[in-house]
Amino acid sequence: MDDDSTRDHVVPGSDETLETADIRGHDFRGETTLSDLLATYETTGFQATHLAEAIDITKRMQDEDATIYLTLTSNIISSGLREVIAALVRDGHVDVIITTSGSLTEDVIKTAKPFKLGEWDADEAALRERGINRLGNIFVPSDRYVWLEEYLYDFFDEFFAEEKVRTPTAFARELGETLDDEDSVLKQAADNDVPIYCPALTDAEVGNFLYYYSRGQDADVGIEILDDYTSLIEDGMLAEKTGLIAVGAGVPKHHAIMTNLFRGGAEYAVYISTGMEGDGSLSGAPPNEAVSWGKVKDDTETNFTQVEAEATLVLPLLVAEAFY
């Protein structure tokens, strides 16, 4: 076999001219602003390009006055992203929040007692002996939960005084009204009339303390979730356009896309996720899969994207460029 024939396999060549943008990143000549840097993400490739798409889609949500749903898992509140979420609510950038019970738990704790920076590689048994709980490289001393139980027991007395069966949205709103911390997501939501939906309210310490409260104080108290689900569906159908920003996945993400199914799908969707698509779970499902279900609309112009990245790295960049 001669060299020419092998070269055809190694370097086959191409007659096609691609009309797409050249791959090019930021060159750092002259002064650089955050906006300058993020503008070059569009042509950087890989997840940077997806983040640039997410910024563009999020801006379009606002330009078209879409009702913006923000969904998040509790680890977002565990981290310093709590302050980012509180700012979005405080400044009127989101209309609906859907989250997990841990978000409510940890938001309340942080109004009185901070979480502390720890390390990933820790002696777990020694931490247990010291009364320290580990969330990645964040440490949470157990005294936080002792304080929380006392705080919630006082709150439960008032919350269930006149109505024995309440909804998670009422729980979040009235709990937020008791807080005095400007960085609290619950307080900002209560102050700015942003509903917080928590379909799995019992799936954290709130659930544990509700259990003990019902057993020891009042067996008639309860949490009703269907009213909230109905409100999500019916309010969504009244919206002219909707946009979803899903930070993490699980129940909050699915509640947002499922309730938007009733209105024919959301017009815009931005996912920030580390979920793996290969296992077929909802957590790893990209937004184009939601199109097949009718939960997100398909448009001729890009109206959905997924940034495969850990949220603390990219959410502040998205918020800074798309909202501020």
Side-chain angles (χ1 to χ4, degrees), residues 182-252:
E182 293 300 318
D183 290 327
S184 163
V185 176
L186 284 166
K187 173 181 170 52
Q188 291 298 340
D191 289 351
N192 293 281
D193 199 26
V194 174
I196 295 181
Y197 291 89
C198 187
L201 183 64
T202 57
D203 189 33
E205 286 73 20
V206 168
N208 298 344
F209 300 149
L210 276 169
Y211 167 77
Y212 287 125
Y213 185 84
S214 67
R215 298 275 291 183
Q217 304 293 323
D218 191 341
D220 293 330
V221 302
I223 299 295
E224 206 287 323
I225 62 173
L226 186 57
D227 284 351
D228 275 359
Y229 194 60
T230 301
S231 295
L232 262 176
I233 293 169
E234 294 182 351
D235 290 348
M237 288 192 293
L238 293 173
E240 185 174 343
K241 291 188 177 182
T242 61
L244 315 179
I245 302 174
V247 186
V251 170

Side-chain angles (χ1 to χ4, degrees), residues 5 70 82 125 132 160 168 170-171 179 206 213 219 233 248 254 263 266 272 309:
S5 61
L70 175 64
R82 172 183 183 248
I132 296 174
F160 292 113
F171 182 90
L179 303 175
V206 168
Y213 185 84
I233 293 169
H254 192 242
R263 62 180 303 279
I272 298 175

Side-chain angles (χ1 to χ4, degrees), residues 56-214:
D56 177 66
I57 292 168
T58 303
K59 287 180 176 178
R60 284 159 48 204
M61 291 183 198
Q62 298 170 83
D63 290 343
E64 300 191 22
D65 199 25
T67 297
I68 297 180
Y69 294 65
L70 175 64
T71 78
L72 59 136
T73 44
S74 64
N75 57 318
I76 304 306
I77 302 301
S78 309
S79 74
L81 292 182
R82 172 183 183 248
E83 287 71 23
V84 175
I85 303 301
L88 286 172
V89 179
R90 180 187 66 232
D91 297 334
H93 293 309
V94 297
D95 302 293
V96 178
I97 292 177
I98 308 175
T99 191
T100 57
S101 182
S103 293
L104 278 57
T105 297
E106 296 178 5
D107 185 71
V108 174
I109 290 173
K110 283 186 170 186
T111 64
K113 296 175 179 288
F115 287 10
K116 305 298 288 185
L117 188 62
E119 56 188 16
W120 295 92
D121 187 16
D123 184 330
E124 310 294 347
L127 288 180
R128 181 66 176 172
E129 286 294 322
R130 294 165 59 193
I132 296 174
N133 306 282
R134 183 174 70 86
L135 296 167
N137 61 349
I138 296 172
F139 287 173
V140 188
S142 292
D143 71 320
R144 272 63 172 164
Y145 298 100
V146 175
W147 174 88
L148 178 69
E149 182 175 18
E150 295 176 358
Y151 192 91
L152 287 180
Y153 263 57
D154 290 340
F155 172 72
F156 291 157
D157 285 340
E158 294 290 330
F159 183 62
F160 292 113
E162 297 184 6
E163 295 179 68
K164 297 299 183 182
V165 179
R166 309 296 305 276
T167 62
T169 50
F171 182 90
R173 182 183 66 254
E174 294 185 28
L175 184 57
E177 290 171 351
T178 71
L179 303 175
D180 186 24
D181 176 5
E182 293 300 318
D183 290 327
S184 163
V185 176
L186 284 166
K187 173 181 170 52
Q188 291 298 340
D191 289 351
N192 293 281
D193 199 26
V194 174
I196 295 181
Y197 291 89
C198 187
L201 183 64
T202 57
D203 189 33
E205 286 73 20
V206 168
N208 298 344
F209 300 149
L210 276 169
Y211 167 77
Y212 287 125
Y213 185 84
S214 67

Side-chain angles (χ1 to χ4, degrees), residues 286-314:
N288 57 317
E289 182 177 297
V291 172
S292 77
W293 291 86
K295 299 170 184 175
V296 173
K297 292 182 178 179
D298 192 16
D299 202 341
T300 54
E301 186 178 7
T302 301
N303 64 311
F304 56 80
T305 194
Q306 174 169 295
V307 185
E308 296 183 80
E310 195 273 309
T312 60
L313 295 172
V314 298

